[in-house]
């Protein structure tokens, strides 16, 4: 009974507990968690140190210029290197969406991966991430109808699967303003063929500067998503109509890039539930599992699935879950959109997914994996105006890593 009783309120024991008790408490506080999120995992033959993924986030931090057509505002710069290096403790870094060609661009101050100067900028970033023991994939981006003609002064037009504009909202222009979405021109068969080669050429440039792999951005209403979904694809040729035809562009891009990278270094991203970019189709609940089956045979690096609803749900069919996709895709699956540590841990432990991507949490917590592992508090969310506006380091690389409070000495504890 004595051992289970508390010392009297004013006793010396209550005022100054034995040193071995304080040592035990300190050891318990320093003990790391047993989160499955923090366990190692293999992707593409590379060992990831944990299952935390930096989600691809458009931050528009290339150097701003007065002339929107100045080549400088498309070149990755040193501050972007700071950003990625700071977050290299994650198991996998996926870069922000990066234009594969002039035809595919459409976001001011977002990087390209086309010219030698642009690739030299990316090489500096890749080298810094590798030096920090990180693994980094380049996300390949063609905006399709979400672009604006101001980004294409030579052609003055934008392209898509069909001549159907985004239904609502506004596009960003090359001048930093907003304008109504424009009606795109349906791509010709020759233009589709050229676009596939643009993806392949961009992947080759990525490999040449050391990227560990690439992710095909086939989500969020960008070009490949426009071809896959019935709401934006009304073609009557071999790229339209049936699900097999609508998925053809993604398959051709995968096969082309597989001539550059081994298939297990090629990831792809899907957003079956998202409304962004005017997307959402009544047959999505059948289409996206079909996509998973169509690419299963390639042995790809991963499926990056935006299964969460925090990005807007189109509501045109039932929600497509990670488990729905797991039934048809045996490779690694990355969950995304609005995850907390607890949600991600549960999804990984359930077997529905293998990794978890974090975006907004990673913006303000560059040491997010360490905070998860040690149970440290998270910083407040970054202000919206810093997400993708040219604010330089503000809201981008000025987020500090967590500092543990200084531990009190025995004398300080006795006084307390």
């Amino acid at each position: 009974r004595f051992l289970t009783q508390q010392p009297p309120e004013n006793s010396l024991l209550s005022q100054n507990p034995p040193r071995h008790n304080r040592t035990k408490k300190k050891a318990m506080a320093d003990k790391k968690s047993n989160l499955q999120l923090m366990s190692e995992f293999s992707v593409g033959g590379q060992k990831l140190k944990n299952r935390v993924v930096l989600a691809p986030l458009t931050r528009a931090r290339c150097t701003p210029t007065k002339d929107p057509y100045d080549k400088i505002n498309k070149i990755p710069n040193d501050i972007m290197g700071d950003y990625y290096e700071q977050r290299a403790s994650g198991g996998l870094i996926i870069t922000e969406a990066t234009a594969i060609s002039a035809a595919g661009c459409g976001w001011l101050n977002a990087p390209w991966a086309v010219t030698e100067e642009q690739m030299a900028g990316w090489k500096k970033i890749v080298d810094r991430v590798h030096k920090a023991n990180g693994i980094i994939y380049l996300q390949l981006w063609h905006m399709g109808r979400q672009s604006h003609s101001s980004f294409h002064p030579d052609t003055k037009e934008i392209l898509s699967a069909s001549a159907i504009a985004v239904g609502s909202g506004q596009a960003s222009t090359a001048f930093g303003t907003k304008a109504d979405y424009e009606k795109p021109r349906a791509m010709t068969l020759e233009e589709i063929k050229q676009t596939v080669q643009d993806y392949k050429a961009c992947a080759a440039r990525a490999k040449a500067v050391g990227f560990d792999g690439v992710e095909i951005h086939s989500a969020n209403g960008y070009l490949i998503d426009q071809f896959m979904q019935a709401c934006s694809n009304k073609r009557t040729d071999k790229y339209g109509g049936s699900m097999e035809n609508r998925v053809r562009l993604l398959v051709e891009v995968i096969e082309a890039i597989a001539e550059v990278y081994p298939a297990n270094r090629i990831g792809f991203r899907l957003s079956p539930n998202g409304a962004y970019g005017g997307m959402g189709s009544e047959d999505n609940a059948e289409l996206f599992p079909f996509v998973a089956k169509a690419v299963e045979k390639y042995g790809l690096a991963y499926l990056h699935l935006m299964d969460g609803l925090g990005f807007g749900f189109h509501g045109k069919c039932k929600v497509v879950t990670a488990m729905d996709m797991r039934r048809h895709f045996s490779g690694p699956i990355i969950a995304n959109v609005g995850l907390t540590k607890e949600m991600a841990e549960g999804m990984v432990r359930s077997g529905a997914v293998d990794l978890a991507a974090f975006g907004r949490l990673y913006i303000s917590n560059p040491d997010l994996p360490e905070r998860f592992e040690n149970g440290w508090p998270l910083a407040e969310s970054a202000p919206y105006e810093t997400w993708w506006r040219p604010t330089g380091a503000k809201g981008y690389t000025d987020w500090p890593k967590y500092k543990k409070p200084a531990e009190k000495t025995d004398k300080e504890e006795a006084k307390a």
Side-chain angles (χ1 to χ4, degrees), residues 160-208:
S160 185
S162 299
I164 303 172
V166 176
S168 61
Q170 292 186 308
S172 298
T173 74
F175 306 101
T177 57
K178 293 288 186 179
D180 291 341
Y181 281 112
E182 300 169 318
K183 186 176 181 179
R185 178 172 61 77
M187 296 174 72
T188 66
L189 292 178
E190 188 59 35
E191 287 169 332
I192 294 172
K193 183 178 179 180
Q194 179 58 54
T195 299
V196 172
Q197 292 306 306
D198 288 342
Y199 274 99
K200 178 181 178 180
C202 189
R205 292 189 292 269
K207 187 176 183 182

Side-chain angles (χ1 to χ4, degrees), residues 375-387:
W376 297 336
L378 299 179
E380 294 183 3
S381 298
Y384 177 79
E385 62 269 15
T386 68
W387 287 4

